[in-house]
Structure formats: C-alpha cells, structure tokens
Amino acid sequence: MTRVEVDRDRCISSGVCEHLAPEAFELDDDGVLQLLPAEPDPAVVAEAVRACPSGALTLADRAH
Ligand code: SF4
C-alpha cells in the first residue's frame, strides 16, 4: 500500500497536489494541506509527490 506523508513546515500551499489528486489531498480553509482517507491510484500520488514545488511530500511504502 502506498502512503504519502506531508511535511507541513515545507508545504507552501501551492495546491499542485490537490489539483493532480483531489481524492487524496485537500487544502483546508487555512491553506493547511490535509491528507484524505481515500486510497488513490499510487501512480497519481507519485506524480503529485514529484510535482510538489517545495518537496513537502514523500512516499512511504508500508507493508501493512
Ligand atoms: S504540492 Fe506541495 S507545496 Fe503544494 S500544497 Fe501540495 S504539499 Fe503543499
């Protein structure tokens, strides 16, 4: 299962990840990125991680 982690100290609230994978990422009213509980397509999440302009996202593959 592919999971993603966000470093909120690095996130600049660009919204790129939300644009690419709105089922997985959501900026709240304060511009704080929230990770949604859905299990999105890993390829889409990987693309969002690559596209993040601040490097705030990392993939974390877990065995369970
Ligand atoms: S793409 Fe990166 S900088 Fe932009 S909102 Fe997502 S985590 Fe934050």
Side-chain angles (χ1 to χ4, degrees), residues 9-60:
D9 291 334
R10 296 183 74 168
C11 175
I12 57 173
S13 303
S14 69
V16 172
C17 57
E18 182 183 40
H19 175 72
L20 290 172
E23 69 276 23
F25 304 101
E26 183 176 85
L27 286 170
D28 68 16
D29 291 344
D30 296 321
V32 178
L33 183 65
Q34 305 298 323
L35 299 177
L36 302 179
E39 289 191 29
D41 182 342
V44 173
V45 172
E47 177 63 24
V49 170
R50 275 194 298 273
C52 173
S54 67
L57 298 176
T58 53
L59 284 177

